[in-house]
Amino acid sequence: MRKVDSLLLESQRMNPVSLTSIHRRIVARNGIRLSTGHVIPHDTSIGFLHPFAPFSTPPPTLASFPAAQKQPPLTDFYPFRFSEQRDAPGEEGLHQFTQTGRENINFGHGPDACPGRWFASAELKAIMVELIMRYDFALGPNGEGETQSGSLLTSGAPLKRPQSIVMPGSLQYMPNPGAAVYFKDRKQGVGPRNLHQ
């Protein structure tokens, strides 16, 4: 389950619920003065960018920054990124889907962290087990993938995952809802079938 946990965390890293996390509004009447001298005015909304999101540059002061430098770039989906980081001595209990902190703020952090994240983790792992055990799935009817326009790729062309999108007028960042995913039920012999049909 360590690799499934890593896959979920990598999926969440590539597609965080929002472009920013830990949203707050400044309620202090005089705002908040930072150590740099800057003042964040009263009634300003703020959020924090996930440090390992594919569209960010992590600060080198983070503990897992050296390990991340030895792995594929953050713009690439690499499902075992975090299980490999957990293989390092002293890191066995870190880099988990439900863990919060400076390196993973998708579930918030501290007293306001999501209390249901362990249930969400167990539920997602159960769904993943069912998908893997029951279905063959791909981005094309025969696993050949699709271009962004939806036409099938030619033989030998690189398979690319559909680009995520930012919902207009929001900070929500999500997988492209127009992308087709095909499932074939191994037990029933049904498929290939587009989920959108």
Side-chain angles (χ1 to χ4, degrees), residues 79-97:
F80 306 126
R81 184 180 305 276
F82 299 102
S83 59
E84 287 179 2
Q85 289 182 15
R86 288 177 72 183
D87 288 340
E91 304 282 312
E92 298 86 359
L94 303 176
H95 317 292
Q96 297 182 49
F97 181 65

Side-chain angles (χ1 to χ4, degrees), residues 20 22 28 102-103 116 141 148 179:
T20 59
I22 311 181
R102 292 181 62 208
E103 299 190 18
Q148 295 304 314

Side-chain angles (χ1 to χ4, degrees), residues 1-14 71-74 76-86 95 128 161:
M1 290 307 265
R2 177 184 281 206
K3 289 187 176 181
V4 173
D5 191 87
S6 179
L7 169 74
L8 291 175
L9 184 52
E10 180 71 351
S11 295
Q12 188 180 47
R13 182 189 72 77
M14 291 295 288
Q71 293 177 318
L74 294 175
D76 293 351
F77 179 81
Y78 183 57
F80 306 126
R81 184 180 305 276
F82 299 102
S83 59
E84 287 179 2
Q85 289 182 15
R86 288 177 72 183
H95 317 292
M128 287 298 300
R161 83 185 263 287

